[in-house]
Every structure is written in structure tokens, then in C-alpha cells.
Amino acid sequence: MPPLQIRDYSWQQTESTVYLSLPLRGVQPRNSDIFCTENYLKMILTAKPKLEMMPLSSPCIKKKLECGRPFLWQVIEEDERKKIENLKENERKKATEDLEAWKAQQKIIAAEEEVKIQREVKICQQKKQIEREKKKSKDKTNHIKTMKSKNTIKGLHRIGTFCIILYFQEFMLSLIWVLPPKGSSANSIFSETLKDDCVPAPRSVGNIKIQFTPRVFPTALRESHVAEEEEWLHKQAEARRILNEDIPELSDLKEEEKNPEWLKEKGNTLFGTENYLAAINAYNLAIRLNNKIPSLYLNRAACHLKLKNLHKTIEDSSKALELLIPHVADNANARMKAHVRRGTAFCQLELYVEGLQDYEAALKIDPSNRILQKDAKKIRNIIQGTELE
């Protein structure tokens, strides 16, 4: 059933409530429900000739009324209407302002485009003017070159004619010999020698001196090898300093024999022949030339141990251990020998505790050496037996 719209109504309004009076004619009253929304009021009921005033508050109706047939009524509040009108007015103003701003921006863009076009036109005109001037100057240059070439040809013709005349006059004068008067010499403009053109003197010879940085090594200098080269140079300088000293023992040696490595090999040979004193002398000379080679002290300690110079054996072994730093795999064997020789010297001096410490240090370097294990065990037994007594 379509809704019934009522026009003859009366209403009152307060701050929180709206009262409506709706006449429904020809409808018997009975109980019914009310459905309310923000803008519409729907009542399904039995109407009576005239309804009492009904309070209407948003968002719902709190009181039930008796009414006739169903109808739909639209309630519009003044505040809502004013708000809508204000919103529309604000939107209209905002749209007008945006339109004006867009028009102003378009005018600015159009003015910039016009200025840009004028600038481009001006640049184009300047380029054309420059091209015309270049063309004019080029035409003038070609014209000048043409005139010069023509004048040159004319001048050559004139010079040729003048030369022919001069040759003819010279030929005629050679045919006619005129004796000069007394006291005068026969001079002619044709007999004068032409002066040589002035030629500048040759340049003086000179030499450019180039000095290079002095360098000992034949290869180029590299930053990564600077430390090694400086160490080598220091060793060489130390060896030269020692050689320049007055060492009586070196006076009988040749130049190639004044080498620590050669003396070391000589001492090893003498040690193999059990000539320990001569070997010690060779090692002493090598150490005087270079005292930074640990193998010299180690070999001399072996000689002193053979000769029972136990204190010197301990000193040379300790010096070799000081030079065998850092502890790496390459010098492990040399360090083991130094500990064994010093430990042997301590044991022969009956300092078994110190000797056992050196043997244990040697076993740390070479744990699988059975000879060292047996010797260390003997030293422990000696120490234990001494303690028991």
C-alpha cells in the first residue's frame, strides 16, 4: 500500500522535542506501533478523527499513539536546513575561489609562454644576423684574395718586362767599352756585389741535467717492500761497519771469506772433525760480523757443551732462544735443540729442576720424541730419589 501524505497538520517545537498534531478522518482508533527515522515518521495504526499532540525526539519516538491507516511524514528541522545551506554556500565559495586561482595560474603560464616565445624569436633573429655578417665577411675576404691574385699576376708581368729591359741594357753596355777618366776607377751599378742577407747566429749548445733518486736495488720501489729493504740495508751497513773495524783475525782472510755464512759453514766443518776450539773461533768471528744469527750461538753452545764449558753453553743457548722469536714452525727444531743443550748443561751442573723445565719445554715442541721422553723420565727419577734421601 502506498504511503499516505498528510498536509493539514500542526506542530510545535522546543530545544529537544517536536510535537505533531495529525488529523486522520474516517479511521477508527486502536493500538498500533510507530517507526521513526531521521527524516520520516511511519505509523501503522487505526486513526481517529483527531490525534492528541505527539512528542517527536530524534532518533526515536518514546511514546506509542493510537492512529488510523498507515502514512509517511517527512520532518525537516530548521537547523538541518541551515546547516545544509551553509555547506552549499561554503562549497560554492570554495569552488569560486579555486576557479579564480586556476584562471590566475593559467594567465601566468600564458605570460611565461609568451615571454619564452619572444625570447626564442629574438635568439633566432640574432642567429640569422650573425650568419649574414659571417657571409658578408667571407665574401669580402674572397674578393680581397681575388684582387690580390690579379695584382700579383700584373706585377709579375711588369717585373718580367723590367728584367728584359735590364738584360738588354747590360748586353748593350758589354758591347760598348767606355774608358774611364784619369784618377777614377771603372765602377758600374752592375758591378756592385749584393750584400748577404743577415743570418742569425746559431743557438748555443747546452745540456740538461737530470738527477734520479739514488737506489741500491735494481727493481722499482714498492711500498709493500720498504720494511724488508730497510732491514736488509741496515744489516749490510752493520756488516760494513764491522768489516771496517780493525779486527786482527780478519786481516788474514780474503774478501769472500769475510762473510758470516762462510764462517758458519767453516765452523760446522771443524765441529764435524771434532776440532771444537777452532770451530768456536770461527763462530766468534761470524758473531762479531753479525750478532743477529741465532744458529751461530746455537752451534757455539754445542761446542762449549763438548768441551764441558757448561756456563757458556747456558749463555749461548739462552741468547739463541732470545733471537728465535716469534715462535713459528720454521724455528721449532732450533728452539728444541736450544732447550735440550741448556737442560743438559743444567743437569751436568746438578741443577735438575732447571734441566727438567728445559726438557719439558722441548717435549712441548716435539711430544713424540722418545729420546727426550726417556731423558726427562730419568731426570724425574733423580729428583724424586734426591727428595726421598
Side-chain angles (χ1 to χ4, degrees):
M1 181 178 180
L4 179 63
Q5 186 175 3
I6 305 300
R7 296 184 180 278
D8 51 345
Y9 65 91
S10 62
W11 62 283
Q12 295 179 0
Q13 180 179 357
T14 62
E15 292 180 358
S16 61
T17 309
V18 176
Y19 295 90
L20 296 175
S21 178
L22 306 174
L24 299 176
R25 299 177 179 82
V27 179
Q28 296 180 359
R30 64 180 179 179
N31 294 332
S32 180
D33 295 328
I34 299 174
F35 176 76
C36 178
T37 62
E38 291 182 359
N39 298 326
Y40 297 95
L41 179 66
K42 184 176 182 181
M43 304 173 66
I44 303 174
L45 44 79
T46 304
K48 61 182 180 178
K50 189 172 183 180
L51 293 179
E52 296 179 356
M53 295 184 69
M54 176 186 63
L56 174 63
S57 61
S58 179
C60 63
I61 301 297
K62 297 180 180 179
K63 185 178 179 181
K64 295 183 180 180
L65 297 178
E66 297 180 355
C67 191
R69 21 173 112 158
F71 72 95
L72 180 64
W73 175 248
Q74 182 178 6
V75 179
I76 303 174
E77 297 182 358
E78 287 293 331
D79 293 338
E80 294 294 332
R81 188 182 298 108
K82 288 181 181 179
K83 288 180 180 179
I84 293 169
E85 290 179 356
N86 291 333
L87 287 174
K88 289 182 179 179
E89 185 66 22
N90 291 334
E91 291 293 334
R92 191 181 301 108
K93 289 180 180 180
K94 187 176 180 181
T96 305
E97 291 176 357
D98 293 342
L99 181 61
E100 293 295 331
W102 181 80
K103 288 181 179 179
Q105 187 176 3
Q106 292 297 322
K107 288 181 180 179
I108 293 170
I109 292 171
E112 291 178 354
E113 290 291 335
E114 186 176 358
V115 171
K116 186 176 180 181
I117 292 170
Q118 290 178 358
R119 190 183 298 113
E120 290 178 355
V121 170
K122 188 175 181 180
I123 291 170
C124 185
Q125 291 177 355
Q126 290 177 355
K127 286 182 178 179
K128 290 182 178 179
Q129 183 67 24
I130 291 169
E131 289 178 357
R132 284 196 294 268
E133 290 179 356
K134 285 183 179 179
K135 190 175 180 180
K136 288 181 180 179
S137 62
K138 189 175 181 181
D139 293 342
K140 288 181 180 179
T141 305
N142 294 333
H143 180 69
I144 291 169
K145 288 181 179 179
T146 305
M147 293 301 293
K148 282 184 178 180
S149 61
K150 290 181 179 179
N151 293 332
T152 303
I153 294 170
K154 290 180 180 179
L156 290 175
H157 285 297
R158 292 175 183 175
I159 291 170
T161 306
F162 180 72
C163 290
I164 292 169
I165 294 170
L166 287 177
Y167 288 140
F168 179 75
Q169 289 179 355
E170 187 176 358
F171 175 72
M172 294 300 294
L173 289 173
S174 63
L175 294 177
I176 301 171
W177 181 259
V178 179
L179 293 174
K182 292 181 179 181
S184 63
S185 60
N187 295 326
S188 175
I189 59 172
F190 300 104
S191 64
E192 292 180 358
T193 58
L194 297 175
K195 294 181 180 181
D196 295 332
D197 295 332
C198 295
V199 180
R203 294 180 180 178
S204 60
V205 181
N207 296 324
I208 299 175
K209 294 182 179 180
I210 299 174
Q211 295 181 354
F212 296 97
T213 305
R215 181 166 170 76
V216 178
F217 300 94
T219 57
L221 178 62
R222 293 184 181 275
E223 188 176 358
S224 58
H225 298 162
V226 170
E228 298 177 3
E229 292 179 357
E230 288 181 354
E231 183 180 0
W232 187 87
L233 291 172
H234 178 71
K235 290 180 179 179
Q236 293 297 318
E238 186 68 18
R240 285 193 296 270
R241 183 186 64 79
I242 295 171
L243 288 174
N244 292 330
E245 293 180 355
D246 294 332
I247 302 175
E249 293 83 355
L250 297 177
S251 60
D252 297 334
L253 298 178
K254 299 178 182 179
E255 288 297 328
E256 60 270 13
E257 294 175 352
K258 296 177 182 180
N259 187 353
E261 293 296 331
W262 185 88
L263 292 171
K264 175 187 171 184
E265 295 297 330
K266 186 68 176 178
N268 295 342
T269 304
L270 294 171
F271 182 85
T273 61
E274 298 182 358
N275 190 355
Y276 304 119
L277 290 174
I280 289 173
N281 290 330
Y283 294 139
N284 288 338
L285 287 176
I287 289 171
R288 293 187 68 177
L289 292 175
N290 190 350
N291 59 357
K292 300 296 183 182
I293 301 175
S295 58
L296 296 175
Y297 294 96
L298 191 61
N299 294 350
R300 192 172 68 174
C303 295
H304 286 304
L305 187 61
K306 290 290 184 181
L307 296 173
K308 302 299 180 180
N309 298 327
L310 303 178
H311 293 285
K312 291 184 179 181
T313 302
I314 294 170
E315 290 178 3
D316 286 345
S317 299
S318 301
K319 184 64 176 179
L321 288 173
E322 290 178 3
L323 295 174
L324 291 170
I325 293 174
H327 297 169
V328 293
D330 291 339
N331 60 13
N333 190 27
R335 287 186 286 114
M336 184 194 69
K337 290 180 180 179
H339 282 295
V340 171
R341 289 170 187 172
R342 189 172 68 176
T344 304
F346 278 130
C347 290
Q348 290 182 8
L349 290 171
E350 296 182 357
L351 299 173
Y352 299 108
V353 177
E354 289 81 356
L356 182 59
Q357 291 176 357
D358 276 320
Y359 270 93
E360 288 177 350
L363 281 172
K364 288 181 181 179
I365 298 171
D366 189 6
S368 62
N369 194 323
R370 294 182 180 181
I371 298 173
L372 292 178
Q373 293 174 0
K374 290 180 181 180
D375 293 340
K377 186 176 180 181
K378 289 179 182 179
I379 296 170
R380 288 192 193 95
N381 293 332
I382 292 171
I383 293 171
Q384 291 174 1
T386 304
E387 288 177 356
L388 288 174
E389 292 177 358

